[in-house]
Amino acid sequence: MSEPSEGLSNLLHEERRFPPPAELTANANYGAEAYAAAATDRLGFWDDKARRLSWATDWTQTLDWSDAPHAKWFVGGKLNASVNCVDRHVEAGLGDRVAIHFEGEPGDTRTITYAELGVLVAKAAHALTELGVKQGDRVAIYLPMSVEAVVSMLACARVGAIHSVIFGGFSAQAIYDRVIDADASLVITADGGWRRGKVFALKPVVDEALAKGTTGVKNVIVVRRGENDVDFDAERDVWWHELVDRQPDTHTAEAFDAENPLFILYTSGTTGKPKGILHTTGGYLTQAAYTHHAAFDLKAETDVYWCTADIGWVTGHSYIVYGPLANGATQVIYEGTPDTPTQDRFWQIVEKYRVSLLYTAPTTIRTFMKWGEELPAAHDLSSLRVLGSVGEPINPEAWMWYRRVIGGDRCPIVDTWWQTETGAMMISPLPGVTATKPGSAMKALPGVSVDVVDDVGTPVPNGGGGLLVLTEPWPAMLRGIWKDDARFVETYWSRFAAQGYYFAGDGAKKDEDGDLWLLGRVDDVMNVSGHRISTTEVESALVSHPSVAEAAVVGANDPTTGQGIVAFVILRGNTANGGDAQVAELRNHVAKEIGAIAKPRQILVVAELPKTRSGKIMRRLLRDVAENRAVGDVTTLADSSVMDLISSGLSSGKAED
Ligand code: PRX
């Protein structure tokens, strides 16, 4: 266990309050009474939220928790997630409403109405069936931000197949591991996608992944996007446009059980192997749709919503695909990066589409702060109404900048805390109710129960700090870790088994008013630009290189990315000299093993690592070094001179970048 990251913990005497604009309060989807309603009858509250969806068969029991921590929500209910995201809007006469404004990085655009989305999903569903994909089969999706990514996910949901989206930045090794773990029978990819003015290849990475060993993959569907040359295996590979375009444009969908698996999404835990987080249909969709409607105060008829996350992360699943589409929202999907072709691309997009609800990450906001106020100031951002933040703690300076420079001092900020495991938002202000404080996610959404407890599970008083727990089951909760129930119980439910609490892995404080401040992970999971990466995963990648004998990795505070990855490595005697070229090779090796997002910011070659007498590496001390602090208490070290050795090694300058 390490301590929550410092930095935010002394900012708990916040005097500033930002009450909601009167007009927003007057027309808000949710008022203060929602908290009272949920507190009085929590399950009845969730029943109401589930009724916002369209069900083929009603449920007979809201929650079955008799086999805790294995939950069943909306027991006996049947629905189809894809029908809820598309068909029902068309049937309600909203077929002409724009579902997606797609903006490609090169500037090409596509506008897709709900009726058109319905046709695309129907065709893709038929295509899956033609390839033999059935209910319960796993489909890996490795696509750039694109209309086809959304369509692929909805087509899987439509036929009851389980999608496993793999972020387009992951390596061949990462794809192979995920395909094997989920035993996927189909991969959907693209030739390439656009990033920073260039095409990055995707299909070749899939080819490399599938050549690593025997997999259950029978087919690979390839979307043409990058126009880059790709190899084709005539038996296995098929172009999307050749397979999908010729299919019928209507499709009758089957309703599935509320607990039918919807997707697996791999995320980093404290061990080297990513966990396949499993979500099911009814509860997940209920909470994704409700929280999107509540936290953004979505008015589907008039709002234009834009979530800048990638579909490869849970934010893209819940707040690009399932939440907004279940709510019939109009949204922007952007393929590229914020700095291409110019650093004001985001503000051009907001102005062009009159975006009113924006959802992005603190890292992105801090990057914009570096680029200067002139860029947003040169654009008309007056359409913006509510601004969301997600993925990592937002520091008060970034919060204030977001509010003033982007939100024109008028838009409420909703800092939303949740996780891949929670499936949907758990802690967030309600924009029509909450008087917000810069840097605080405030309190649990109506229907959600959280607390901050000490080491033995006792709630801390206001003003105290401890561990964040979820004290009652919630509809979008993970149903398990794919093929690893023991790890599911152990990771989330064993620490506070006596109380039956879910352990989130985050540190938190309650301020004097009882409002919540999230302080970052308390385990060996790093948060780099809002992406979760485990220290062990990077360590395993490093030691898989022949020149590395041992490695220890820490997340060090970083002014832009939240945390940066700093690795300490011991090289094998004769193979290595620890020079710049070798450090560069090790960084590239990590990128090859996991993906570029896991490349260490810095690799320090050291002679020893600080260990306790039982052999455990003391990452706390390494973090002190990585953050240029005086090294803390070394009394539990087996050899206390090690830290002197490391610190003196540093001044000899082995750092990269
Ligand atoms: O540490 C918390 C941080 O991100 C972790 C979850 O990461 P992931 O599963 O990748 O999901 C990210 C998108 C929901 C959490 O354990 N985190 C997420 N949102 C916030 C946050 N930390 C502070 N404030 C937030 N708003």
Side-chain angles (χ1 to χ4, degrees):
M1 267 301 175
S2 55
E3 311 78 42
S5 64
E6 290 110 36
L8 280 173
S9 47
N10 48 9
L11 294 163
L12 296 176
H13 302 287
E14 181 58 66
E15 298 295 331
R16 291 170 290 190
R17 297 283 183 286
F18 295 91
E23 197 202 321
L24 204 155
T25 303
N27 300 302
N29 292 347
Y30 292 85
E33 70 287 349
Y35 293 104
T40 313
D41 179 8
R42 195 173 61 86
L43 295 182
F45 179 86
W46 284 118
D47 276 340
D48 277 356
K49 302 309 153 227
R51 288 204 185 90
R52 297 184 65 248
L53 304 177
S54 156
W55 295 75
T57 308
D58 215 349
W59 56 98
T60 52
Q61 190 184 359
T62 306
L63 168 66
D64 178 357
W65 192 229
S66 58
D67 184 27
H70 304 94
K72 290 198 181 89
W73 281 86
F74 310 112
V75 181
K78 285 188 194 300
L79 77 170
N80 186 294
S82 155
V83 167
N84 270 280
C85 289
V86 187
D87 308 41
R88 67 170 178 143
H89 306 312
V90 179
E91 280 156 23
L94 305 174
D96 292 338
R97 181 183 289 171
V98 173
I100 298 171
H101 290 291
F102 173 76
E103 173 93 12
E105 197 194 70
D108 57 323
T109 59
R110 258 175 104 179
T111 303
I112 308 283
T113 64
Y114 273 93
E116 288 164 342
L117 184 62
V119 172
L120 293 173
V121 173
K123 284 175 179 287
H126 283 295
L128 294 182
T129 305
E130 183 178 313
L131 296 182
V133 174
K134 306 176 303 301
Q135 179 182 3
D137 289 352
R138 276 78 58 207
V139 175
I141 298 178
Y142 186 67
L143 283 172
M145 287 294 286
S146 55
V147 172
E148 286 79 7
V150 178
V151 169
S152 297
M153 292 163 75
L154 293 175
C156 287
R158 198 165 184 93
V159 302
I162 307 171
H163 57 70
S164 164
V165 181
I166 304 169
F167 172 59
F170 275 125
S171 66
Q173 185 64 44
I175 298 173
Y176 176 73
D177 293 343
R178 285 158 176 73
V179 162
I180 289 289
D181 189 72
D183 192 17
S185 59
L186 173 71
V187 180
I188 307 180
T189 188
D191 50 359
W194 286 90
R195 200 179 149 80
R196 298 218 158 87
K198 288 203 285 274
V199 169
F200 65 99
L202 290 164
K203 169 73 163 52
V205 189
V206 172
D207 289 341
E208 190 189 333
L210 299 184
K212 283 185 185 290
T214 309
T215 72
V217 172
K218 297 190 194 76
N219 292 106
V220 177
I221 304 181
V222 188
V223 173
R224 188 142 72 195
R225 169 67 187 157
E227 305 282 345
N228 48 318
D229 281 342
V230 292
D231 291 339
F232 242 66
D233 173 337
E235 295 286 296
R236 188 194 69 184
D237 302 342
V238 52
W239 285 109
W240 174 285
H241 56 269
E242 287 176 5
L243 172 71
V244 178
D245 289 1
R246 63 177 164 76
Q247 303 291 337
D249 56 12
T250 58
H251 178 273
T252 308
E254 188 185 334
F256 297 105
D257 191 273
E259 287 298 338
N260 198 53
L262 184 63
F263 66 85
I264 305 168
L265 185 58
Y266 286 84
T267 189
S268 293
T270 52
T271 69
K273 192 171 168 279
K275 306 178 280 199
I277 303 300
L278 177 69
H279 283 287
T280 60
T281 309
Y284 170 80
L285 198 61
T286 293
Q287 193 173 337
Y290 150 62
T291 50
H292 181 251
H293 187 235
F296 286 103
D297 188 49
L298 172 79
K299 308 287 193 245
E301 317 76 53
T302 48
D303 274 319
V304 177
Y305 165 80
W306 180 24
C307 168
T308 69
D310 192 283
I311 271 174
W313 309 110
V314 75
T315 306
H317 283 58
S318 303
Y319 298 104
I320 294 177
V321 181
Y322 291 108
L325 295 177
N327 287 330
T330 295
Q331 69 177 316
V332 174
I333 291 183
Y334 173 53
E335 179 184 32
T337 52
D339 56 358
T340 306
T342 50
Q343 292 177 336
D344 64 347
R345 183 67 184 267
F346 270 31
W347 317 122
Q348 287 170 7
I349 291 175
V350 169
E351 182 170 6
K352 174 174 173 186
Y353 294 104
R354 306 291 299 154
V355 171
S356 54
L357 313 173
L358 180 67
Y359 198 22
T360 195
T363 298
T364 315
I365 298 164
R366 289 191 292 265
T367 303
F368 291 137
M369 289 170 76
K370 280 202 297 206
W371 291 347
E373 293 186 22
E374 306 74 36
L375 297 176
H379 293 274
D380 177 5
L381 307 182
S382 63
S383 53
L384 289 169
R385 232 166 50 77
V386 179
L387 303 176
S389 175
V390 62
E392 47 179 323
I394 178 163
N395 48 310
E397 298 71 33
W399 195 102
M400 289 300 295
W401 192 91
Y402 196 25
R403 182 179 160 90
R404 179 175 61 79
V405 179
I406 307 305
D409 265 332
R410 74 182 181 276
C411 304
I413 293 185
V414 290
D415 173 14
T416 62
W417 179 91
W418 57 293
Q419 309 177 300
T420 306
E421 291 88 340
T422 70
M425 295 171 191
M426 302 294 279
I427 305 173
S428 166
L430 281 179
V433 179
T434 317
T436 51
K437 302 172 186 174
S440 168
M442 303 303 290
K443 59 181 179 172
L445 282 164
V448 172
S449 309
V450 311
D451 211 335
V452 180
V453 300
D454 65 16
D455 256 356
V456 292
T458 310
V460 302
N462 286 356
L467 303 170
L468 184 74
V469 291
L470 306 173
T471 58
E472 299 285 353
W474 63 102
M477 66 199 290
L478 76 165
R479 298 302 195 265
I481 294 176
W482 184 253
K483 288 197 310 205
D484 201 345
D485 189 54
R487 191 174 176 197
F488 165 65
V489 175
E490 164 64 27
T491 309
Y492 307 107
W493 303 98
S494 65
R495 184 159 177 144
F496 299 113
Q499 296 84 352
Y501 293 164
Y502 168 95
F503 172 54
D506 278 44
K509 290 213 174 194
K510 289 180 194 166
D511 67 15
E512 294 98 335
D513 305 319
D515 293 322
L516 299 169
W517 297 71
L518 282 313
L519 303 177
R521 302 288 308 192
V522 293
D523 53 14
D524 294 329
V525 174
M526 300 175 285
N527 191 327
V528 182
S529 301
H531 300 147
R532 249 166 95 164
I533 302 163
S534 90
T535 53
T536 345
E537 220 176 324
V538 180
E539 285 165 6
S540 311
L542 283 167
V543 296
S544 74
H545 190 278
S547 71
V548 176
E550 225 182 317
V553 166
V554 297
N557 284 335
D558 185 287
T560 305
T561 60
Q563 286 188 308
I565 304 175
V566 179
F568 296 79
V569 298
I570 302 176
L571 296 175
R572 282 185 199 281
N574 303 327
T575 55
N577 58 19
D580 286 353
Q582 182 152 35
V583 166
E585 183 181 326
L586 292 181
R587 292 178 76 232
N588 289 333
H589 178 72
V590 175
K592 198 163 159 292
E593 287 294 301
I594 306 174
I597 50 166
K599 234 182 187 182
R601 180 183 81 184
Q602 217 176 6
I603 294 184
L604 304 160
V605 178
V606 294
E608 291 290 344
L609 289 170
K611 289 186 184 156
T612 60
R613 277 169 212 100
S614 61
K616 194 172 178 299
I617 293 174
M618 292 193 69
R619 288 204 177 74
R620 173 172 60 80
L621 299 179
L622 293 176
R623 229 179 3 249
D624 287 341
V625 173
E627 293 175 353
N628 294 321
R629 264 195 311 275
V631 171
D633 184 5
V634 295
T635 47
T636 52
L637 281 182
D639 173 1
S640 61
S641 65
V642 164
M643 287 317 294
D644 299 336
L645 248 173
I646 291 178
S647 300
S648 60
L650 290 188
S651 52
S652 71
K654 293 274 163 56
E656 168 80 353
D657 281 355

